[in-house]
């Protein structure tokens, strides 16, 4: 089994199988056929897999059947196994088939239907990381999206908290969010920028909750390095109970004024 196929999310597996069966992806396989339907970071690996199976004499329909069996095996997993996926970033050792952080995050964002909660410590290259979410927000105007982010104050910096927050807002809108897209609601911990140094703290949590059903908790920041290059570990969990508890926690902090709205 080609590892790239295993790394694909269920929706990507279904999409690729459908394209193979319809002839929209066909031998001789090319990267151009895959770029429009798969994450950029996996399309080259998937292409190698398709070429490999083609060299063994597998037809497009037979390869589609392989993909469908992988997806079906996931959905019909043994009942004694918890609905938890191990998700990692960074270099891969032979034989490792963990889900990839950037793929999982993209899949969660791309298929959100009702709500998205994003909690993050550091955000860089956000226009790329949040591209799928911004697109989903445009497609679904009622999608409720709330960010809880850290606004850092550099050591020995004496800038007023109002200016630091204003600079953060401007930077997020101009460089961390896709251009001309609807903005999420963004909240922060006012202690992180407090003028009184002894009370400062960081909003250090990193997680995503989608539709009060899917929970992704990870060490990875919302950066290109954290999503792809650094060695990071996370868990993707399907649990309504856990999702509701996590969302309720941040909503309660917000209601008590412990987290305040930036915009």
């Amino acid at each position: 089994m080609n590892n790239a196929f295993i790394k694909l999310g269920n929706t990507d597996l279904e999409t690729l199988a459908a394209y193979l069966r319809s002839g929209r992806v066909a031998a001789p396989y090319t990267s151009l056929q895959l770029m429009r339907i798969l994450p950029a970071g996996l399309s080259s690996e998937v292409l190698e897999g398709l070429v490999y199976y083609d060299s063994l004499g597998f037809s497009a329909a037979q390869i589609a059947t392989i993909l469908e069996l992988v997806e079906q095996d996931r959905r019909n997993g043994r009942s004694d196994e918890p609905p938890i996926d191990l998700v990692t970033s960074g270099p891969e050792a032979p034989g490792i088939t963990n889900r990839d952080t950037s793929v999982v995050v993209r899949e969660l964002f791309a298929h959100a239907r009702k709500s998205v909660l994003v909690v993050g410590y550091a955000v860089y290259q956000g226009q790329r990381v949040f591209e799928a979410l911004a697109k989903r927000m445009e497609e679904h105007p009622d999608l409720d999206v709330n960010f809880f982010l850290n606004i850092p104050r550099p050591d020995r910096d004496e800038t007023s908290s109002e200016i630091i927050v204003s600079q953060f807002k401007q930077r997020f809108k101009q460089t961390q969010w896709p251009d001309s897209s609807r903005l999420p609601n963004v909240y922060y911990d006012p202690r992180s920028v407090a003028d009184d140094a002894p009370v400062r703290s960081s909003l250090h949590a990193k997680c995503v909750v989608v539709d009060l059903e899917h929970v992704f908790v990870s060490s990875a920041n919302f950066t290109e390095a954290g999503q792809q290059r650094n060695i990071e570990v996370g868990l993707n969990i399907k649990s309504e109970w856990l999702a509701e508890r996590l969302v309720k926690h941040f909503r309660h902090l917000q209601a008590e004024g412990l987290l305040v709205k930036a915009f």
Side-chain angles (χ1 to χ4, degrees):
M1 177 62 65
N2 180 264
N3 284 348
F5 293 168
I6 297 175
K7 294 177 188 176
L8 291 175
N10 290 346
T11 301
D12 289 328
L13 285 170
E14 293 174 358
T15 299
L16 180 56
Y19 270 65
L20 286 165
R21 290 198 181 280
S22 68
R24 288 174 287 178
V25 170
Y29 302 107
T30 67
S31 58
L32 184 62
Q33 294 175 339
L34 303 178
M35 287 172 57
R36 292 171 291 185
I37 61 173
L38 295 178
L42 287 179
S43 59
S44 61
E45 294 183 59
V46 172
L47 176 60
E48 291 178 5
L50 292 174
V51 171
Y52 170 72
Y53 285 113
D54 181 58
S55 70
L56 296 179
F58 283 69
S59 67
Q62 289 171 325
I63 298 175
T65 299
I66 293 174
L67 301 177
E68 291 164 351
L69 287 173
V70 171
E71 192 272 338
Q72 182 179 353
D73 182 65
R74 286 181 185 170
R75 295 189 183 278
N76 298 330
R78 292 182 301 173
S79 59
D80 59 336
E81 293 183 343
I84 300 175
D85 280 335
L86 177 61
V87 183
T88 57
S89 301
E92 299 176 3
I96 292 179
T97 58
N98 302 329
R99 301 290 309 284
D100 181 79
T101 300
S102 62
V103 174
V104 169
V105 171
R106 171 188 172 275
E107 185 177 80
L108 287 170
F109 288 160
H111 301 102
R113 295 174 288 104
K114 300 176 183 178
S115 63
V116 176
L117 171 77
V118 174
V119 183
Y121 172 68
V123 176
Y124 299 105
Q125 298 93 27
Q127 290 182 333
R128 181 183 304 174
V129 174
F130 298 125
E131 181 180 5
L133 178 57
K135 181 179 179 181
R136 191 66 170 174
M137 290 171 67
E138 295 303 312
E139 295 171 345
H140 296 267
D142 294 333
L143 184 61
D144 182 31
V145 180
N146 294 281
F147 279 35
F148 294 86
L149 302 178
N150 186 62
I151 302 182
R153 174 189 284 274
D155 290 340
R156 300 183 178 86
D157 185 283
E158 297 183 356
T159 306
S160 72
S161 58
E162 291 81 3
I163 293 177
I164 293 176
V165 173
S166 178
Q167 291 173 339
F168 167 84
K169 290 161 60 174
Q170 182 179 12
R171 184 169 59 252
F172 183 90
K173 294 176 181 179
Q174 293 182 351
T175 67
Q176 303 303 326
W177 191 253
D179 294 337
S180 303
S181 298
R182 178 166 69 94
L183 288 164
N185 299 313
V186 176
Y187 300 85
Y188 69 99
D189 183 347
R191 297 176 302 164
S192 65
V193 294
D195 298 314
D196 183 10
V199 302
R200 285 187 205 141
S201 64
S202 294
L203 198 166
H204 206 262
K206 308 168 192 74
C207 62
V208 175
V209 181
V210 173
D211 295 334
L212 292 176
E213 181 179 7
H214 301 280
V215 176
F216 176 54
V217 179
S218 174
S219 64
N221 286 311
F222 293 97
T223 67
E224 185 272 337
Q227 298 287 301
Q228 299 182 9
R229 291 187 284 110
N230 295 345
I231 295 178
E232 310 278 2
V233 173
L235 296 176
N236 188 26
I237 307 166
K238 185 175 181 181
S239 169
E240 293 183 7
W241 175 86
L242 181 60
E244 291 177 0
R245 289 286 299 272
L246 194 51
V247 170
K248 184 179 294 185
H249 174 71
F250 283 94
R251 285 179 176 169
H252 186 69
L253 292 176
Q254 173 195 343
E256 293 297 318
L258 299 173
L259 297 173
V260 299
K261 192 171 185 179
F263 55 88

